[in-house]
Amino acid sequence: MRFNTIKKISVFFLAMSLIFIANSISASELRLDMTERQQYIENKIYNILHPAPDFKSYKFEASEGWTLEKLTLNNVSVERLKAEKPKTDRVIIQFHGGGYTNGLTEGHRLLGAKQGILIGASEVYYVHYRLAPKNVYPAALDDAIAVYKELLSAGIKSENIIFIGDSAGGNLALELSLYLKKHGLSQPAALALISPWGTFEQNATSRIKNRDRDLVLGSKGFPLYQEVQVRKPSYAGEMELNDPRLSPIYADLRGLPPMLIQIGGYELFVDDGISLLNRALSDDVEATFTAYPGMPHDFPLLLPELHETELSLKEFRDFVERYL
């Protein structure tokens, strides 16, 4: 593990070697070498896109000691996963990915539940924000603002809240935090960003270099490749793609809470994550950056069985313990 600290920035690069974690690893965790891993991921993504006739899709069920319910907060649909005997006052607000065009999935529910259990959260809120192409900017942001304000009004303290976002959800979490700064509203304690969509622009080196290697978001993977890399993203509407309201790598990040940035080494958004880290560095924001070698976009969501996902979850837990 290589470890450097610059201006309060902890930068963890795993491009050369994986972090070794002494904690016990579950027996079901899958460890593969680079070649085996790529073949495994390619096969799994193909099976997701081309399910067998007798395939039964996964259905999330809350673990013992937790309840899942549907709510409406400020006219926005949400789901709340609530601990019956909470260990802390920590609250997760999850903003799901999907290119701003796809809704919440069972995988997002599972990932949020795992994260909630790991940090002893009292509640996990899943936000069903409005989707493009019907709803363009700022529809999703307006919904995120409405939910956050309602939770604060209900008595949840901002210092107990973690924003979590994957892909487009990471973009939304950042944009919400920027909105809060602009309007003098209280920030959450931390931001945890998985494969964040840092810019709607499409000319970054990793967008070209990794278009075949990223087996999730790349040209061989999910159809979202068209949405984020080929045509103008639907959520942008008539806005310029480098507008900081869409592309937070161009925003002034000063005053934002500590952030965790996790990316896959083979994903399209590698440069998004690095650019976001550099912006945080220049704006004196505390940030932890980790690149997991050979991993595709949003791997903790789509590949929960892999060793790298276990590492990413433990890193998330340790990150939260540092700041909450």
Side-chain angles (χ1 to χ4, degrees):
M1 178 176 70
R2 306 185 66 182
F3 197 79
N4 298 295
T5 302
I6 308 173
K7 285 187 180 180
K8 302 180 182 178
I9 307 295
S10 302
V11 185
F12 298 82
F13 288 99
L14 291 178
M16 302 302 292
S17 62
L18 288 172
I19 284 180
F20 172 76
I21 295 187
N23 301 54
S24 61
I25 303 296
S26 65
S28 61
E29 184 185 334
L30 188 58
R31 298 177 185 234
L32 302 169
D33 65 28
M34 188 72 77
T35 301
E36 293 172 330
R37 187 188 311 133
Q38 283 299 97
Q39 188 60 59
Y40 177 87
I41 294 170
E42 185 170 4
N43 290 341
K44 179 166 183 180
I45 298 307
Y46 179 86
N47 289 332
I48 291 174
L49 293 173
H50 306 88
D54 59 348
F55 174 76
K56 293 183 179 180
S57 60
Y58 167 77
K59 178 68 175 176
F60 173 76
E61 293 184 4
S63 302
E64 183 177 355
W66 293 78
T67 57
L68 182 67
E69 58 183 335
K70 296 181 179 180
L71 305 171
T72 300
L73 300 179
N74 265 347
N75 296 315
V76 180
S77 295
V78 303
E79 296 176 29
R80 178 175 65 181
L81 186 65
K82 185 175 178 63
E84 295 172 5
K85 296 180 180 179
K87 297 179 180 179
T88 73
D89 292 329
R90 294 168 180 163
V91 173
I92 289 173
I93 304 178
Q94 186 203 79
F95 302 106
H96 66 79
Y100 281 109
T101 62
N102 292 354
L104 185 76
T105 68
E106 299 298 293
H108 286 102
R109 294 183 179 94
L110 176 61
L111 181 59
K114 285 184 175 181
Q115 292 166 326
I117 291 170
L118 271 176
I119 67 170
S122 61
E123 296 175 316
V124 178
Y125 288 89
Y126 306 94
V127 182
H128 289 269
Y129 55 82
R130 285 171 289 168
L131 301 174
K134 181 179 179 180
N135 302 286
V136 300
Y137 181 92
L141 177 59
D142 287 344
D143 290 348
I145 295 166
V147 170
Y148 184 64
K149 286 183 175 180
E150 182 67 17
L151 293 179
L152 295 183
S153 297
I156 297 176
K157 296 180 179 179
S158 60
E159 59 263 31
N160 292 328
I161 294 176
I162 308 105
F163 290 170
I164 295 178
D166 68 288
S167 193
N171 180 283
L172 181 55
L174 282 164
E175 294 298 346
L176 174 56
S177 198
L178 288 166
Y179 172 92
L180 298 175
K181 183 182 80 165
K182 180 178 179 180
H183 292 85
L185 301 173
S186 58
Q187 294 281 353
L191 305 174
L193 312 173
I194 301 170
S195 299
W197 196 1
T199 175
F200 275 36
E201 294 176 304
Q202 300 163 327
N203 57 358
T205 300
S206 64
R207 301 287 184 95
I208 307 303
K209 180 180 178 182
N210 288 341
R211 63 185 176 189
D212 293 330
R213 295 199 299 182
D214 186 343
L215 299 175
V216 168
L217 193 61
S219 59
K220 293 182 179 179
F222 282 103
L224 279 177
Y225 177 76
Q226 298 291 321
E227 183 67 24
V228 304
Q229 185 59 22
V230 177
R231 57 176 175 258
K232 184 176 183 180
S234 302
Y235 185 63
E238 300 301 317
M239 297 172 66
E240 295 295 325
L241 298 187
N242 63 354
D243 190 310
R245 293 171 294 175
L246 296 175
S247 299
I249 64 168
Y250 298 115
D252 180 352
L253 302 182
R254 285 174 292 183
L256 265 62
M259 63 179 70
L260 170 66
I261 306 166
Q262 295 179 325
I263 61 172
Y266 276 179
E267 73 165 285
L268 290 186
F269 290 171
V270 168
D271 288 345
D272 295 54
I274 293 172
S275 295
L276 182 58
L277 173 69
N278 289 336
R279 175 61 64 176
L281 176 65
S282 66
D283 290 344
D284 200 28
V285 174
E286 294 187 55
T288 300
F289 173 89
T290 309
Y292 288 81
M295 298 305 292
H297 179 74
D298 223 342
F299 66 91
L301 174 73
L302 292 165
L303 300 160
E305 68 276 20
L306 289 189
H307 173 62
E308 290 76 12
T309 293
E310 291 295 322
L311 293 178
S312 74
L313 287 169
K314 288 168 182 172
E315 182 186 30
F316 164 74
R317 176 200 61 196
D318 294 344
F319 169 77
V320 171
E321 290 293 337
R322 284 203 301 275
Y323 295 107
L324 277 83

